[in-house]
C-alpha cells in the first residue's frame, strides 16, 4: 500500500511570489514541491502553476510528490482502513474485527447458559 499524506495548502496564484525552494502546495488532488535553485525562481510565476493543463513548463518549477487527501470534518461515505489519529478512551458503538487485549468483564465462577 502507498501512504497518502494530507494535502498542504492549495496553490494560490496570489501568493506565488512567496513560493521558495521546498515550498509544498496542493493542486488537483496532488502534492507538489518547489524545485531547488536555479529552478525555484519559476515557482514564483503563476505561468508555472503546478499541473497546469496549458503547458508542461510547470515541471521545471515543481516536483510531483503524488496524490494527497484533503482532510474534512464531515464523515466519509465509505469506511476506510486508515488509522485514526484520535483514538477513543472508552467503548464505542462501532464493533471491531479484532478481539480486545483484555477481558471486558471479570470471569464468573458459574458457567453461563450460552458461550
Amino acid at each position: 500500500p502507498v501512504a497518502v499524506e494530507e494535502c498542504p495548502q492549495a496553490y494560490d496564484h496570489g501568493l506565488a511570489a512567496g513560493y521558495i525552494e521546498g515550498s509544498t502546495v496542493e493542486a488537483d488532488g496532488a502534492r507538489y514541491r518547489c524545485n531547488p535553485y536555479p529552478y525555484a525562481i519559476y515557482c514564483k510565476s503563476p505561468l508555472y502553476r503546478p499541473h497546469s493543463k496549458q503547458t508542461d513548463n510547470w515541471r521545471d518549477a515543481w516536483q510531483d510528490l503524488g496524490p494527497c487527501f484533503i482532510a474534512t470534518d464531515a464523515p466519509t461515505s465509505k469506511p476506510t482502513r486508515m488509522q485514526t489519529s484520535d483514538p477513543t478512551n472508552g467503548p464505542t458503538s462501532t464493533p471491531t474485527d479484532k478481539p480486545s487485549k483484555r477481558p471486558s468483564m471479570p470471569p464468573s465462577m458459574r458457567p453461563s447458559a450460552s458461550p
Side-chain angles (χ1 to χ4, degrees):
V2 175
V4 177
E5 294 187 27
E6 186 173 345
C7 292
Q9 183 177 0
Y11 177 85
D12 183 340
H13 70 274
L15 300 175
Y19 293 135
I20 60 171
E21 176 180 333
S23 294
T24 56
V25 297
E26 178 273 334
D28 299 323
R31 294 173 60 235
Y32 296 89
R33 179 183 303 127
C34 181
N35 284 326
Y37 176 87
Y39 304 102
I41 192 73
Y42 298 121
C43 298
K44 298 178 178 295
S45 171
L47 297 174
Y48 289 83
R49 178 195 180 279
H51 202 239
S52 172
K53 292 173 178 55
Q54 297 171 334
T55 177
D56 276 344
N57 289 348
W58 66 267
R59 294 178 190 277
D60 293 336
W62 300 94
Q63 177 186 4
D64 186 343
L65 301 175
C68 61
F69 70 92
I70 298 172
T72 65
D73 291 333
T76 58
S77 60
K78 295 181 181 178
T80 65
R81 291 207 167 267
M82 294 181 68
Q83 296 176 339
T84 180
S85 60
D86 187 22
T88 61
N89 291 324
T92 67
S93 60
T94 308
T96 62
D97 59 353
K98 296 179 181 169
S100 59
K101 292 184 179 185
R102 56 186 172 171
S104 55
M105 295 179 57
S108 67
M109 299 307 287
R110 292 180 278 179
S112 60
S114 63

